[in-house]
Amino acid sequence: MKQPSSISEKKPSVFRSSDLAMVLTILIGFVAVMFVIELAGGQFKFFTANNWLNILMQNAVIGIMAMGMTIVMISGGIDLSVGYLASLGGIFIAKGVVDWGIPIVPAVILGILICVGLEAMLGAIIARLEVEPFIITLGGSIAFRGIALLMCQSREVVMSGQLEGFKTNLIEGAKAPDGLSMTLPIYVVIFIVIAVIVWWVLKYTKYGRRIYAVGANPSAAYLAGINVKNIKLSSYVINGLLVGLASVLLLSRVGTAIITMGERMEIDVIAAVVIGGVAMSGGKGNAMGTFLGVILLGAVTNGMTVLKLQSEWQFVAKGAIIIAAVAAGAISSKIAARGEVRQQKQEALAEQAGEGKE
């Protein structure tokens, strides 16, 4: 008789091609539509090397935060506080350098550690008390906004180029086919490196398999010897680390710390993760899907800007894509579940037939 599989042996099921196929199909479909529109207009502004580099630059910060959110959501949680936490981290760094006389490197380190500490606090409450992460992180978002406003006294803090190094062009002098200069800042490379690291950790490490196990079935994971509470806590700690780093890069981009710098950013972060195939219920998804989700949302916003459409249509398009992605994911899951039931029935009938022959 076939022996039941352990949790660690279920690893392949969380990397099904369907997880990536959905977001890749939507992205290809959108690019095809843009190609037809631009072909009809006789101008190709969307399909230029510089434009796609702009998409990466505009969404690198969201992408880094989305990688942390991917780990949290796969483990079965969610975090609504990341937007204002990024604002808080950026405001602390700017205030530390401009008003408090802290050197830039210690200020950056302290800003990141504050984000890690605050996320660890939320994660500890969620994991140890087993409360709903939606409500706890919503409360955290409100509290972080208040702390940030108190810190800056509701004013903006202007930097003097102390973080310009993150904007250094790594391909200085490179020209696109249309003759325009190309820009690839360091923070885009940081985003790509983080995406690769998170993908590798989730796919190839024991810790990654435990994240999936906890998100898929916490009770089964506990019975398998996994410390569920510590895994959940660690996911929020990692998320805090990536939010802290994102706040530094966001501050380097805008140059001015203000409460609105991270406002509503959690919406785009969660949207990119969900579109990328990460299940709200946990236990499913991967970093590659999230990366494609970030690129898709960025391409939609950029494409509509290129077409000079009203910004209101961007919200309509993003909302429609989120609904379509979630609906397609639900349909895919139901089809897969029915297939598994049929397979189990066939295996059971085969076993019964074998026992009858004996």
Side-chain angles (χ1 to χ4, degrees):
M1 184 178 290
K2 186 178 178 181
Q3 297 295 324
S5 299
S6 65
I7 289 176
S8 61
E9 291 172 340
K10 293 181 181 179
K11 174 186 169 186
S13 66
V14 297
F15 300 107
R16 295 175 299 188
S17 59
S18 60
D19 292 343
L20 297 178
M22 177 179 62
V23 64
L24 196 56
T25 300
I26 297 174
L27 178 59
I28 292 173
F30 175 76
V31 170
V33 170
M34 286 297 301
F35 179 79
V36 172
I37 292 174
E38 293 207 332
L39 182 63
Q43 292 183 337
F44 290 91
K45 297 179 180 179
F46 183 75
F47 295 94
T48 63
N50 273 327
N51 190 55
W52 282 93
L53 284 175
N54 283 334
I55 291 174
L56 282 172
M57 287 188 286
Q58 291 163 1
N59 294 276
V61 171
I62 289 175
I64 292 172
M65 294 169 69
M67 290 301 152
M69 188 69 73
T70 297
I71 296 174
V72 168
M73 290 180 63
I74 289 176
S75 71
I78 195 169
D79 191 350
L80 303 180
S81 69
V82 294
Y84 281 121
L85 182 59
S87 293
L88 191 157
I91 288 172
F92 174 86
I93 294 170
K95 288 287 289 185
V97 172
V98 175
D99 295 337
W100 302 334
I102 303 175
I104 185 62
V105 174
V108 166
I109 294 173
L110 286 173
I112 294 175
L113 289 178
I114 286 173
C115 292
V116 172
L118 292 173
E119 278 290 301
M121 179 187 69
L122 296 182
I125 294 172
I126 292 167
R128 303 301 176 187
L129 302 182
E130 298 181 355
V131 292
E132 179 58 49
F134 183 94
I135 300 300
I136 295 300
T137 57
L138 177 60
S141 175
I142 297 170
F144 298 160
R145 183 176 189 272
I147 294 170
L149 287 171
L150 288 171
M151 193 181 301
C152 68
Q153 298 180 346
S154 301
R155 300 174 182 173
E156 62 182 30
V157 184
V158 182
M159 298 283 286
S160 302
Q162 292 90 341
L163 295 173
E164 288 293 313
F166 289 110
K167 297 167 67 175
T168 301
N169 186 6
L170 297 176
I171 52 173
E172 187 70 39
K175 298 288 184 180
D178 55 9
L180 297 176
S181 298
M182 300 176 66
T183 303
L184 180 64
I186 289 177
Y187 60 80
V188 170
V189 177
I190 293 174
F191 163 45
I192 295 172
V193 169
I194 288 175
V196 171
I197 292 173
V198 172
W199 168 80
W200 181 83
V201 168
L202 288 174
K203 187 169 184 178
Y204 292 110
T205 67
K206 183 184 292 184
Y207 175 76
R209 291 192 290 274
R210 289 178 175 176
I211 287 284
Y212 281 104
V214 169
N217 192 328
S219 299
Y222 175 78
L223 293 174
I226 296 174
N227 192 321
V228 174
K229 293 181 179 179
N230 283 351
I231 291 295
K232 287 186 176 182
L233 171 60
S234 67
S235 70
Y236 283 93
V237 171
I238 294 172
N239 187 43
L241 175 63
L242 294 181
V243 171
L245 179 57
S247 71
V248 176
L249 301 182
L250 180 60
L251 182 60
S252 73
R253 281 199 66 204
V254 301
T256 300
I258 189 171
I259 191 64
T260 56
M261 64 190 293
E263 193 173 39
R264 291 194 295 270
M265 193 173 283
E266 67 277 359
I267 297 175
D268 285 339
V269 170
I270 295 173
V273 175
V274 171
I275 290 171
V278 177
M280 294 291 289
S281 57
K284 177 186 174 184
N286 56 71
M288 185 59 66
T290 296
F291 182 86
L292 291 175
V294 171
I295 298 302
L296 173 58
L297 282 183
V300 168
T301 302
N302 179 272
M304 291 191 169
T305 302
V306 169
L307 295 176
K308 297 180 180 179
L309 296 177
Q310 292 179 322
S311 60
E312 289 81 0
W313 285 105
Q314 296 179 16
F315 294 106
V316 174
K318 286 182 180 181
I321 289 172
I322 293 170
I323 293 171
V326 173
I331 293 171
S332 175
S333 297
K334 286 186 176 182
I335 293 174
R338 289 174 182 173
E340 290 176 2
V341 170
R342 284 196 297 268
Q343 184 178 356
Q344 290 173 0
K345 287 181 178 179
Q346 291 173 357
E347 290 177 355
L349 291 173
E351 288 180 4
Q352 290 177 1
E355 291 174 358
K357 291 179 180 179
E358 292 176 0

